[in-house]
Amino acid sequence: MGITMEPVSKYRRQVKRIYFDSFPKKDRMPYWMLLLMAKMNHTEFRAFCDQGRVCGFSYFAAVGKITFIMFLAVDSKLRSKGCGSLMLKEIQSLYPENKVIVSIERCDKTVENLEQRLRRKRFYEKNGFLSTGCLLELSKEQQEVLVKNGEFDPQEFSEFFKKYSNGTMNPPIIPIGHEGDLR
């Protein structure tokens, strides 16, 4: 399998289907907004193809020494075949010196889709990501923060958001175990 990274503009319909199949409504931005925001500095919205077939996509931003992957999904028919790992390698090859950060749904024992969340966490751990011991609150949802290629610094991550959003985003970053500090 040889994956190439392509502009989403060539594969909008296929990427949109994967996006809607992969993320629950509460976790999605409107698709048109992704397309619009992909035109911002530092933002990449890419399809990943194998011999012309879209196998997944990623939406990420690179500012300074941080690459933050906001959305990464593989076509449901191609999962567990190595596509996601190849996609992560392609992203990191663009910014080889950067820390790569992802936020994933918490693996809280009370959720209905715990096994799915645990599989996602194992996928990232298999690909070299480590838990940071911190949560990120986005849209009133707390997500666990994982990092690869360096130590996680909450202040540096806050600065990433400020630079990326021109000062409009400053989501709370909370040490795990201090979630009560939010309310």
Side-chain angles (χ1 to χ4, degrees):
M1 176 178 293
I3 286 190
T4 60
M5 195 173 355
E6 306 285 340
V8 162
S9 59
K10 294 168 65 175
Y11 305 99
R12 281 189 179 144
R13 273 196 351 235
Q14 296 97 317
V15 168
K16 184 177 183 179
R17 181 188 55 77
I18 295 169
Y19 180 59
F20 278 79
D21 287 349
S22 300
F23 296 96
K25 186 175 183 174
K26 69 177 182 59
D27 294 339
R28 290 192 308 249
M29 292 193 299
Y31 190 69
W32 64 265
M33 189 179 292
L34 286 177
L35 293 169
L36 182 65
M37 290 177 62
K39 296 177 185 201
M40 291 174 42
N41 285 340
H42 313 294
T43 306
E44 303 275 349
F45 192 14
R46 300 297 181 140
F48 291 85
C49 301
D50 182 23
Q51 299 176 356
R53 179 180 180 197
V54 177
C55 53
F57 78 91
S58 185
Y59 182 87
F60 59 96
V63 177
K65 292 291 183 183
I66 291 179
T67 301
F68 179 45
I69 300 173
M70 294 169 236
F71 294 102
L72 178 90
V74 173
D75 187 316
S76 60
K77 297 173 196 122
L78 300 172
R79 291 189 185 138
S80 299
K81 295 182 181 354
C83 291
S85 296
L86 291 172
M87 290 165 52
L88 286 172
K89 285 179 185 172
E90 284 293 313
I91 294 167
Q92 189 153 16
S93 74
L94 293 175
Y95 309 96
E97 301 300 315
N98 280 16
K99 295 176 196 179
V100 181
I101 297 175
V102 297
S103 63
I104 61 171
E105 293 174 303
R106 294 182 70 183
C107 295
D108 185 335
K109 292 178 180 153
T110 64
V111 298
E112 291 179 22
N113 65 339
L114 178 60
E115 187 52 42
Q116 178 188 38
R117 291 178 183 204
L118 289 169
R119 274 195 313 271
R120 187 173 298 121
K121 186 170 182 176
R122 285 190 296 265
F123 162 76
Y124 282 110
E125 289 173 337
K126 181 185 90 169
N127 282 282
F129 285 81
L130 303 171
S131 179
T132 64
C134 290
L135 302 171
L136 176 67
E137 185 170 306
L138 293 169
S139 303
K140 305 211 187 284
E141 292 286 327
Q142 293 180 351
Q143 297 189 337
E144 183 178 357
V145 180
L146 307 176
V147 67
K148 179 180 180 179
N149 206 33
E151 293 291 318
F152 180 73
D153 178 347
Q155 183 61 38
E156 181 183 41
F157 198 35
S158 287
E159 289 299 317
F160 163 89
F161 276 106
K162 289 176 190 166
K163 290 176 185 171
Y164 174 67
S165 70
N166 291 318
T168 61
M169 290 179 70
N170 190 17
I173 301 169
I174 307 106
I176 292 178
H178 294 88
E179 300 89 320
D181 297 346
L182 285 175
R183 309 280 178 241

